[in-house]
Amino acid sequence: QAKDMDRNNFQFFSSDLNVKVMERMVLESSLRRALERDEFELFYQAQVDVVKRTIIGFEALLRWHHPELGMISPEKFIPLAEETGLILSIGEWVIRTACRQAKAWQDAGLPPVRMAVNLSGKQFRTKLDQVVASILLETGLGASWLELELTESILMRNAAENQQLLQALSGMGCSLSIDDFGTGYSSLAYLKNFPLGRLKIDRSFVRDIITSPDDRAIAKIIIDMAHTLKMEVTAEGVEDHDQLELLKSYGCREIQGFLFSKPVPAAAAEEFLRKGILF
Ligand code: C2E
Ligand code: MG
Ligand code: MG
Ligand code: MG
């Protein structure tokens, strides 16, 4: 009898689903402690003006150094942070750390650059404008150096409420951009109603831009549309020169991708600025 039960228990816990549940519980409890244990770090990826060939900004990308599991990708823990609500405190840490870093570089006399930060939908439902305002005040960073990246789905959900929030953030002097553009379902009419300054072409279109006429057409349409709407446009995920040259020929002025730099720790990003690297 007892033996049977053991066997059943074993089967119960070894089923795929339960391994996933266990994994999730373990990850969740360590995520809860990650902030206080100082396990997060921001990496910075250069955004390059391809005409001047200089860095004009960085995107801050979150990294989690888990004590046992090593570095965990944001693709894996951001969704968990969103489900658990932890994204609010983590997201605030991200904005504060990125602003503090940008200000420190400016104070050190380095060429001022824009700092882009990713936002999750949950952060939108709180008083994000107040959070941002107090962080800017606390760090002393000028609002115009901060760019907030949001996705199409964030924008389209509660469009009416977002309108107010985005107006407030934009009114403070922050820039707003749409990340991964082309993968979601934006109503194009909203693009001109929201105070958005930039579209970031999703890297899935850039990846096959040389070989796929469809992806090429989509990239070109996004660039043309951005310019028509007097918005700026950045291509993400540029890895080689052919992609760069094609995007340049379409009038895309700003590039972010492994061709120039992977996301790197703050010290390495600072070195780029200090050396005034021309890409
Ligand atoms: P994202 O905001 O679209 O960030 C760009 C992602 O593309 C980064 O992945 C970056 O490393 C990668 N990437 C950039 N250039 C290239 C390239 O040339 N080739 C390839 N193969 N990849 C490239 P990462 O850092 O793993 O971040 C993944 C996603 O996680 C981000 O996508 C963003 O949605 C989310 N994320 C990262 N940090 C934060 C954060 O602080 N808050 C929130 N809410 N989300 C974040
Ligand atoms: Mg982004
Ligand atoms: Mg993106
Ligand atoms: Mg993304």
Side-chain angles (χ1 to χ4, degrees), residues 45-48 59 61 149 179-181 199-210 219 233-245 247 252 254-263:
Q45 186 178 29
Q47 300 176 322
V48 174
E59 177 174 0
L61 292 156
E149 295 191 358
D179 207 355
D180 306 341
F181 189 75
L199 300 179
K200 295 187 75 178
I201 306 172
D202 188 68
R203 81 183 140 91
S204 62
F205 304 117
V206 172
R207 189 184 52 223
D208 299 325
I209 200 170
I210 302 298
V233 62
T234 301
E236 288 193 291
V238 176
E239 297 187 358
D240 65 49
H241 273 100
D242 290 346
Q243 294 167 340
L244 173 68
E245 287 309 319
L247 286 159
C252 181
E254 247 188 62
I255 300 287
Q256 183 179 342
F258 293 176
L259 175 64
F260 295 120
S261 170
K262 292 197 168 178

Side-chain angles (χ1 to χ4, degrees), residues 12-27:
F12 176 78
F13 281 114
S14 65
S15 77
D16 263 12
L17 178 69
N18 287 291
V19 169
K20 288 220 174 76
V21 169
M22 291 293 283
E23 251 179 31
R24 206 198 114 108
M25 280 167 59
V26 170
L27 211 59

